[in-house]
């Protein structure tokens, strides 16, 4: 069976929460749930680091504006993680060239990351924290549920991931105006801080 559906699903999930993907795949491999998981993801040190970073993301991802800063930092990390996981999965199964799997995983992760980051910018136009907590929790549950589902039904999971990605891209298109408003507000706050720091500086 081709590993491509699992690569695509893990790529989509990596764009949302890369640490959860590494942690879940590693646990599934270490416990014998799946033979598709490479040994590199099952190493105790990898699982510990992924678990700690997952907890950090679980907190940062639920705080308004902090989540967008976190997303900015992970603009490179998530696609790279999706590419590495995809290449490792392909190398484990031998049914798909590593380079092709890395390209699929990385590009899918980049697309889903863009949806996640853009959606959070739109949500942050509203100052209340409740929507951030709800969205973050839904993302964590979605990633966990879909990766778990992919262990047993990879083709069906890949179809669900593709549908979610398409819906997210369409949603992102309609949220562009709110995202621009968020960027304007952030630029305005930076300017206000800059002017305040100048005003508080002692005269020459």
């Amino acid at each position: 069976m081709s590993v491509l559906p699992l690569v695509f699903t893990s790529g989509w999930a990596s764009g949302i929460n890369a640490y959860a993907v590494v942690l879940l795949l590693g646990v599934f491999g270490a416990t014998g749930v799946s033979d598709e998981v490479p040994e590199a993801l099952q190493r105790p040190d990898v699982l510990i680091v992924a678990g700690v970073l997952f907890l950090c993301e679980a907190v940062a991802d639920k705080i308004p504006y902090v989540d967008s800063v976190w997303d900015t930092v992970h603009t490179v990390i998530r696609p790279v993680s999706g590419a590495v996981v995809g290449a490792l999965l392909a190398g484990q199964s031998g049914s798909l060239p590593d380079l092709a799997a890395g390209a699929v995983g990385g590009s899918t992760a980049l697309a889903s990351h863009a949806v996640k980051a853009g959606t959070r910018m739109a949500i942050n136009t509203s100052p209340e924290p409740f929507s951030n907590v709800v969205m973050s929790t839904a993302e964590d549950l979605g990633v966990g549920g879909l990766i778990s589902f992919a262990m047993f039904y990879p083709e069906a999971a890949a179809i669900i991931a593709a549908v979610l990605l398409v819906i997210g891209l369409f949603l992102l298109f309609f949220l562009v105006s709110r995202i621009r408003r968020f960027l304007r507000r952030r630029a305005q706050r930076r300017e206000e801080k800059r002017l305040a720091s100048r005003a508080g500086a002692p005269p020459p």
Side-chain angles (χ1 to χ4, degrees):
M1 182 181 298
S2 173
V3 76
L4 182 59
L6 182 57
V7 169
F8 182 86
T9 303
S10 64
W12 172 86
S14 294
I16 306 297
N17 192 326
Y19 306 124
V21 173
V22 173
L23 181 61
L24 284 171
L25 288 178
V27 169
F28 287 142
T31 55
V33 173
S34 174
D35 296 329
E36 299 284 348
V37 181
E39 293 290 337
L41 297 179
Q42 302 179 37
R43 289 168 42 187
D45 56 333
V46 172
L47 293 176
I48 291 172
V49 171
V52 171
L53 291 173
F54 169 74
L55 292 176
C56 293
E57 176 149 342
V59 175
D61 206 40
K62 294 176 176 58
I63 304 174
Y65 297 105
V66 173
D67 57 352
S68 289
V69 174
W70 185 269
D71 286 338
T72 301
V73 172
H74 285 75
T75 299
V76 175
I77 296 174
R78 287 171 182 159
V80 169
S81 178
V84 171
V85 169
L88 288 174
L89 289 172
Q92 175 75 5
S93 69
S95 61
L96 185 69
D98 295 4
L99 186 60
V104 171
S107 59
T108 306
L110 179 61
S112 61
H113 166 74
V115 172
K116 173 186 172 72
T119 303
R120 288 310 182 85
M121 287 183 184
I123 289 176
N124 282 330
T125 59
S126 174
E128 48 80 26
F130 180 73
S131 55
N132 297 75
V133 174
V134 170
M135 180 61 71
S136 177
T137 303
E139 289 170 351
D140 292 342
L141 293 175
V143 167
L146 199 56
I147 288 294
S148 301
F149 186 61
M151 291 293 98
F152 305 98
Y153 306 100
E155 290 84 1
I159 292 173
I160 295 173
V163 171
L164 291 174
L165 182 59
V166 171
I167 292 174
L169 291 172
F170 272 108
L171 179 63
L172 185 62
F173 175 78
F174 288 108
L175 290 176
V176 168
S177 60
R178 296 196 68 175
I179 294 171
R180 287 175 178 170
R181 192 185 315 157
F182 167 79
L183 294 175
R184 284 197 300 269
R185 286 184 179 180
R186 187 168 65 175
Q188 182 179 1
R189 283 196 302 273
R190 288 177 178 174
E191 182 65 17
E192 289 173 352
K193 288 181 180 179
R194 186 180 65 82
L195 293 175
S197 62
R198 281 188 175 183

